[in-house]
Amino acid sequence: MNRPLDIVVLGLSLSSSWGNGHATTFRALLRGLQEEGHKVLFLERDVPWYAAERDLPDPDFCELSYYHAVDELIARYRRRLTSADAVIIGSYVPEGVAVIDAVAALRPRLLCFYDIDTPVTLAKLDRNDEEYVALRQMSLFDIYFSFSGGEVIDRLETRYGVSQGTALYCSVDAERYRNTREDLEWDLGYLGTYSADRQPMLERLLIEPARQLPMMRFVVAGPQYPDYIEWPANVARIEHLPPADHPSFYSRQRFTLNLTRAVMTAAGWSPSVRLFEAAACRTPIISDFWRGLDELFAKDEAIIIARDASEVVEALICLPAEKRQRMADAAYRIVHDHHTGRARARQLVSALVISRQRADRSAQGISA
């Protein structure tokens, strides 16, 4: 397949970034595919909560269409699904199990899964929760693209029946995420939707430092935080921050905080899109620790790893501006070399081409 590919993606959302990290992940990847010359149709379930908060209703890098039910999906897009070089179904797609069965029945040329929530998915399967993919379906995919790498890939193949697991980390749109050179407004900020299992770390690594440093300014951006949370007076709140405003948000921070959900911390090798976004904006990063983080960003050279409030306070008070800038520049170079949407698109296409070639050889009775 040494030619532009025609790819169909069924994902949670591309049009709306409200309350989810999928949209920005897909946007960077799909823009990268377009820059590489490939054609993409993104199919999104039309649901009211995203319809009311669409911040990208008409993308210029792919075709975006909506459907209301699984039967309609198959009836309207059968030809595109069967003629495409690859069909990729994402995690958390509404009625995902039914969608996978219906698309698999069409026997597309390549059927893939892009799990942007791999540790969450595996934890759900372990307790027989098959919200968007069933255990019996794991072997249906020619490639199981995973948000998580490292040991998680081995688990997918040895425990969950995946025939080929491939790490496909999230990425950043390097053209849109740049430092805006605005004046600094906050000493430490955090961007993320409320999550109960992540909240204790937010308390430890941002709210407690804010209490200890009343002379400094902090900010938390993201929806769905409960009303009962007691925010210190020096912590500003932004309910929803559209992706177009992310670069400005990061650029106005002296440091940004990266936090990871508990299941992803346990799994390791699960970098968030916010990590790459902040690095692309040359904002120094303080992060909680998970296995694999220091393989992506060298500790104390490209990132500060903090385990408690005292380590955050020390960084805010003691780290010289020159050291802070060197760390930000190092993280920036890592992201621009390895974690842009275009770099990720090349990885995706390479995996698809190799899988198709392997399938063709198998069909011809030729040993791989």
Side-chain angles (χ1 to χ4, degrees), residues 78-355:
R78 178 186 297 269
R79 185 188 63 79
R80 293 292 298 271
L81 291 165
T82 55
S83 65
D85 292 297
V87 176
I88 303 173
I89 301 173
S91 51
Y92 272 103
V93 167
E95 292 189 86
V97 173
V99 169
I100 293 167
D101 282 341
V103 173
L106 299 178
R107 301 181 65 83
R109 294 179 180 179
L110 284 176
L111 178 61
C112 306
F113 193 75
Y114 187 14
D115 199 339
I116 301 176
D117 308 273
T118 311
V120 175
T121 302
L122 301 188
K124 288 167 77 70
L125 292 177
D126 287 346
R127 59 178 184 266
N128 298 316
D129 180 348
E130 299 181 331
E131 179 183 357
Y132 49 83
V133 63
L135 183 60
R136 63 174 174 79
Q137 294 175 323
M138 302 289 271
S139 61
L140 296 177
F141 304 109
D142 296 290
I143 309 175
Y144 194 106
F145 292 108
S146 170
F147 172 94
S148 304
E151 297 172 3
V152 176
I153 302 300
D154 293 334
R155 289 177 58 203
L156 282 166
E157 294 179 348
T158 59
R159 182 172 174 180
Y160 297 93
V162 169
S163 59
Q164 180 186 338
T166 299
L168 193 72
Y169 294 140
C170 56
S171 58
V172 64
D173 185 339
E175 293 301 313
R176 281 158 177 75
Y177 283 82
R178 296 178 176 181
N179 193 285
T180 61
R181 301 186 183 279
E182 295 174 82
D183 291 339
L184 294 176
E185 186 170 347
W186 303 291
D187 294 285
L188 179 65
Y190 173 70
L191 172 59
T193 301
Y194 172 79
S195 174
D197 66 345
R198 198 163 44 198
Q199 187 62 22
M201 289 302 294
L202 183 64
E203 294 273 351
R204 184 182 307 168
L205 300 185
L206 188 144
I207 295 176
E208 179 56 30
R211 293 193 184 104
Q212 295 183 28
L213 301 170
M215 77 296 291
M216 291 190 178
R217 295 164 298 175
F218 299 76
V219 61
V220 173
Q224 302 178 24
Y225 284 84
D227 293 337
Y228 61 76
I229 294 176
E230 296 183 4
W231 302 101
N234 58 337
V235 177
R237 276 283 293 123
I238 300 173
E239 179 64 22
H240 175 58
L241 195 72
D245 296 335
H246 288 185
S248 173
F249 179 73
Y250 289 121
S251 299
R252 287 179 287 155
Q253 298 172 48
R254 194 157 63 92
F255 290 91
T256 199
L257 179 64
N258 176 74
L259 297 177
T260 312
R261 292 189 61 183
V263 289
M264 294 185 177
T265 298
W269 293 276
S270 300
S272 74
V273 67
R274 307 300 176 219
L275 186 64
F276 295 150
E277 288 175 355
C281 293
R282 278 192 162 97
T283 303
I285 301 166
I286 299 174
S287 179
D288 58 350
F289 177 75
W290 36 266
R291 288 176 301 155
L293 174 58
D294 49 355
E295 296 174 17
L296 294 169
F297 297 94
K299 180 183 177 182
D300 297 330
E301 293 180 17
I303 198 168
I304 294 173
I305 296 174
R307 291 175 172 80
D308 56 37
S310 66
E311 293 179 327
V312 175
V313 169
E314 181 181 2
L316 292 176
I317 293 177
C318 301
L319 195 71
E322 297 80 6
K323 172 67 172 177
R324 175 166 54 89
Q325 190 58 54
R326 286 198 301 271
M327 293 176 59
D329 290 343
Y332 171 85
R333 288 191 296 270
I334 291 168
V335 166
H336 269 254
D337 288 346
H338 303 290
H339 302 293
T340 64
R342 193 160 188 174
R344 202 68 75 235
R346 293 185 185 123
Q347 295 175 7
L348 171 68
V349 169
S350 176
L352 294 176
V353 170
I354 292 171
S355 182

Side-chain angles (χ1 to χ4, degrees), residues 13-17 23 27 31 42 44 46 50-66 242-244:
S13 182
L14 183 71
S15 68
S16 175
S17 64
R27 290 172 190 180
R31 189 179 292 279
F42 191 95
E44 178 177 333
D46 193 2
Y50 291 147
E53 300 285 349
R54 283 181 178 146
D55 46 28
L56 189 69
D58 187 24
D60 60 0
F61 50 85
C62 73
E63 181 183 356
L64 170 61
S65 293
Y66 304 94

